[in-house]
Amino acid sequence: MHAGHTVRVAMTHSATRLISPDTFAALTGNPVVVDVFDEPEPGQIAHIRLAQEADLILIAPATAHTLARLALGLADDMLTTIALATHAPILIAPAMNPAMWTHPATQAHVQTLQARGVEFIDPTYGIMACGDEGWGKIADTTVIVQAVQQCLQRTQDLRGVRMLITAGPTYEPIDPVRFVGNRSSGKMGYAVAEAARAHGAEVTLITGPTALTPPAGVKVVRVQTAQQMLEAVQEALDACDVFIATAAVADYRPERPLSSKRKRNSQHWTLRMVANPDILGTVAQRKGNRIVVGFAAETDKALQHAQEKLQRKNLDLIAVNDVLEPGSGFEVDTNRLTLIYADGRIEPLPLMSKRECGERLIQAVVSLLHSRQTRREA
Ligand code: C5P
């Protein structure tokens, strides 16, 4: 019945009015918790223990009120406290009146939670307990179980794989207040890091300056310049199996940054720039058995340039996008990637959220690791 899993149940107070906690205790063979102060195992803080032990948290059925509490990060009962304290993936199967489900407040909470990596098993169309008809019925049990199994499988894919990811722009100082930079927001790299983490990888994210909150459970190293990024990468490289370069590294930096702020005392100012190190190229030279993945943001002849880059930098995979295409490239939340593999395969992906692009790229890395392992075993 449990498909080999240990099942622990946390109920909201409202849920206990519909089903007795004793029923779940009997079904699961484990005590059920409701209140934040429920401590069924002496000497253990239940909400932390349950949050840390869980491989996955399923909230089903989730009411509009619980979605709102989760979105706000409230922790006023055992369920919401565990959800706030966990690093495990969270799956939610909502169930509510159709007017409540489609209400902008509920939908905004859904979006907030999705942006944090929470997955939804969408409600279906049907007749509600109140007699209303519409979207709001909890998904079929088989669909929920399938989603749980898929999610658990995914969280195992990259268990034990150490992944190093660069993200964001680099800032190259001109003087103490000015810099040369670019429009990279870091969204693509952070999405890749989040997807890798969701697949169970140990992730180190080396990031240039961004306004983003790094995904939970990821080790973050913050840098400013390309030189600092290279040093951080070199330090972490030995302990990594996969390197993914999503950072938009500044190709040039001012040769001699000024030590004090330059005053506006002339009509012209010529900055002499010098080439920055190619981080991806440097890694590719001492790549060993690692899988190395690059990105190529192009403005013309995208595929051709990316293929050349793949070969020149000795990559296993390159993700190319045309930054001039609407919805692609810098600062936006979407991207249209084409994946080019070292064996010549070309996989064009549709326009999708950067989060989904990250997921697809990580799936491609999983398949590369699998085929490498199969070759080794053959
Ligand atoms: O040659 P180009 O800059 O277009 O190459 C893009 C790829 O190389 C990206 O994966 C980027 O992160 C990486 N790169 C790098 N160091 C640089 C320039 C680019 O790692 N100095």
Side-chain angles (χ1 to χ4, degrees):
M1 182 177 71
H2 301 153
H5 303 297
T6 303
V7 181
R8 300 294 310 257
V9 176
M11 298 176 79
T12 59
H13 284 284
S14 307
T16 61
R17 295 183 59 166
L18 300 173
I19 302 179
S20 157
D22 291 341
T23 309
F24 282 127
L27 286 172
T28 61
N30 282 311
V32 170
V33 286
V34 180
D35 239 24
V36 193
F37 296 105
D38 283 348
E39 301 293 358
E41 284 141 298
Q44 302 205 5
I45 303 173
H47 67 269
I48 299 297
R49 171 107 196 249
L50 290 170
Q52 287 175 348
E53 277 183 359
D55 294 315
L56 175 144
I57 292 181
L58 169 69
I59 305 177
T63 60
H65 184 58
T66 292
L67 290 185
R69 290 187 299 146
L70 293 167
L72 288 172
L74 298 183
D76 56 353
D77 64 3
M78 195 54 117
L79 169 65
T80 48
T81 310
I82 292 170
L84 201 59
T86 195
H87 283 156
I90 299 181
L91 270 178
I92 299 185
M96 65 195 75
N97 173 277
M100 293 170 83
W101 172 244
T102 50
H103 194 285
T106 306
Q107 289 304 311
H109 293 318
V110 170
Q111 276 184 14
T112 303
L113 290 164
Q114 279 175 330
R116 280 189 217 137
V118 171
E119 264 185 64
F120 279 81
I121 309 164
D122 283 340
T124 57
Y125 193 91
I127 298 174
M128 311 291 129
C130 56
D132 281 3
E133 191 174 341
W135 296 96
K137 259 173 95 76
I138 189 162
D140 275 353
T141 313
T142 47
V143 173
I144 296 176
V145 171
Q146 213 173 29
V148 166
Q149 278 164 343
Q150 278 171 359
C151 187
L152 282 173
Q153 195 183 352
R154 201 176 55 224
T155 61
Q156 307 291 330
D157 273 354
L158 293 174
R159 192 150 278 187
V161 174
R162 300 161 305 173
M163 209 171 270
L164 185 61
I165 298 168
T166 64
T170 62
Y171 285 2
E172 311 296 334
I174 297 171
D175 66 18
V177 297
R178 303 182 180 94
F179 61 84
V180 175
N182 60 63
R183 291 182 186 281
S184 167
S185 62
K187 284 179 181 163
M188 195 57 246
Y190 279 53
V192 172
E194 187 175 335
R197 178 76 201 103
H199 281 253
E202 255 174 61
V203 182
T204 302
L205 176 67
I206 299 180
T207 172
T210 74
L212 305 173
T213 309
V218 164
K219 182 179 170 201
V220 180
V221 180
R222 292 180 195 278
V223 297
Q224 295 272 325
T225 65
Q227 191 60 41
Q228 289 166 355
M229 189 173 272
L230 175 67
E231 282 160 26
V233 166
Q234 282 176 323
E235 208 175 304
L237 192 62
D238 281 345
C240 102
D241 308 302
V242 179
F243 176 68
I244 306 182
T246 59
V249 183
D251 285 323
Y252 291 89
R253 66 174 184 274
E255 189 169 31
R256 286 183 215 287
L258 305 173
S259 56
S260 56
K261 184 183 167 193
R262 186 192 153 99
K263 298 280 178 292
R264 204 162 79 115
N265 53 12
S266 62
Q267 274 306 314
H268 295 100
W269 176 12
T270 307
L271 266 181
R272 191 175 151 89
M273 308 276 275
V274 60
N276 261 330
D278 179 351
I279 301 172
L280 182 57
T282 311
V283 167
Q285 274 173 16
R286 45 177 281 222
K287 125 180 217 206
N289 281 330
R290 285 178 200 90
I291 288 193
V292 177
V293 181
F295 268 74
E298 304 289 350
T299 52
D300 62 312
K301 295 197 194 134
L303 284 190
Q304 190 187 325
H305 284 144
Q307 271 158 333
E308 282 163 17
K309 212 168 280 180
L310 176 105
Q311 280 168 7
R312 185 161 30 92
K313 299 199 185 190
N314 189 21
L315 308 179
D316 298 285
L317 174 64
I318 193 159
V320 53
N321 65 316
D322 185 335
V323 286
L324 296 184
E325 220 183 90
S328 274
F330 294 145
E331 289 170 327
V332 291
D333 284 324
T334 52
N335 214 350
R336 189 199 302 277
L337 292 181
T338 299
L339 305 182
I340 308 178
Y341 296 79
D343 64 10
R345 264 179 307 142
I346 298 182
E347 190 183 344
L349 301 179
L351 183 69
M352 47 172 77
S353 69
K354 284 189 175 166
R355 172 179 296 277
E356 278 175 86
C357 289
E359 171 60 26
R360 294 293 285 268
L361 185 80
I362 291 301
Q363 283 173 9
V365 170
V366 169
S367 77
L368 285 175
L369 282 165
H370 274 178
S371 49
R372 185 168 285 189
Q373 192 152 3
T374 326
R375 271 206 308 275
R376 218 175 282 151
E377 283 164 6

